Amino acid sequence: MANYLALTGERIHAYDLVHFGLATHYLPSDELPNLEKALIEATSGPIQSSSSKAIADILQSFHRPAVATKDKSVLVKNQDHIERAFAADTVEGIVQNLELGDSDFEKKTLSTLRKVSPTSLKVTLEGLRRGANCQTLAQDLQMEYRMAKTFVTMSSP
């Protein structure tokens, strides 16, 4: 899923964030001030009331089912197509997999990729591969910074 999102720039919505484990809780943005107030109250009292259990309970009490449903999720609906096409190790392999597909989703995704710089796609895919090998967020951010710096300072042919 990460390769698909990174290479296409597709936006991910609340249902998908929770479904794919990128978020643990969802609440409408107009509830954020109430959540903030509850968290402040819980953490400004005695130490035992600010335990991680108390915070987890507060988060769970504010959690609402995501607005989108599984039926409306483009990612869930097309998960098999995405996993099959984006399992390839190279951008060329991903494009080839999409060319072999016959669904509207695969055709649309192929069209999206063809509008993007092939070099950018390859650099992004390589960044994902390298990032997967980083042990910490700091290592990943350093790697991304170095890649971006090199990419920006390289002269064009």
Side-chain angles (χ1 to χ4, degrees):
M1 196 58 63
N3 289 352
Y4 168 76
L5 292 170
L7 296 178
T8 64
E10 184 70 34
R11 293 181 64 189
I12 189 165
H13 301 283
Y15 176 85
D16 297 310
L17 287 167
V18 175
H19 177 81
F20 290 106
L22 299 172
T24 56
H25 298 82
Y26 167 80
L27 71 149
S29 57
D30 62 346
E31 283 288 317
L32 285 173
N34 296 329
L35 172 62
E36 181 180 13
K37 181 179 176 190
L39 290 170
I40 289 170
E41 288 173 3
T43 57
S44 56
I47 293 175
Q48 55 269 47
S49 71
S50 63
S51 72
S52 59
K53 167 93 170 86
I55 292 171
D57 289 345
I58 291 168
L59 289 173
Q60 189 58 41
S61 73
F62 278 87
H63 177 66
R64 303 288 178 270
V67 174
T69 63
K70 184 177 181 177
D71 296 337
K72 293 182 182 178
S73 170
V74 173
L75 297 181
V76 171
K77 202 180 311 183
N78 294 289
Q79 187 171 355
D80 290 341
H81 296 302
I82 293 168
E83 289 176 356
R84 184 175 54 252
F86 286 82
D89 292 330
T90 64
V91 171
E92 293 83 359
I94 292 168
V95 168
Q96 183 177 16
N97 289 345
L98 290 168
E99 287 172 339
L100 295 173
D102 60 357
S103 73
D104 289 340
F105 175 81
E106 290 162 310
K107 291 174 186 173
K108 179 182 174 243
T109 302
L110 182 59
S111 174
T112 298
L113 292 182
R114 286 188 168 145
K115 294 175 186 172
V116 180
S117 160
T119 302
S120 293
L121 291 173
K122 291 178 183 190
V123 168
T124 300
L125 191 59
E126 181 61 24
L128 288 168
R129 191 170 292 117
R130 290 182 185 189
N133 293 319
C134 292
Q135 300 298 312
T136 66
L137 177 60
Q139 287 176 345
D140 184 67
L141 293 174
Q142 185 176 48
M143 178 274 303
E144 287 185 29
Y145 170 76
R146 288 177 178 161
M147 284 184 72
K149 184 177 175 184
T150 300
F151 190 68
V152 169
T153 59
M154 283 179 22
S155 60
S156 298

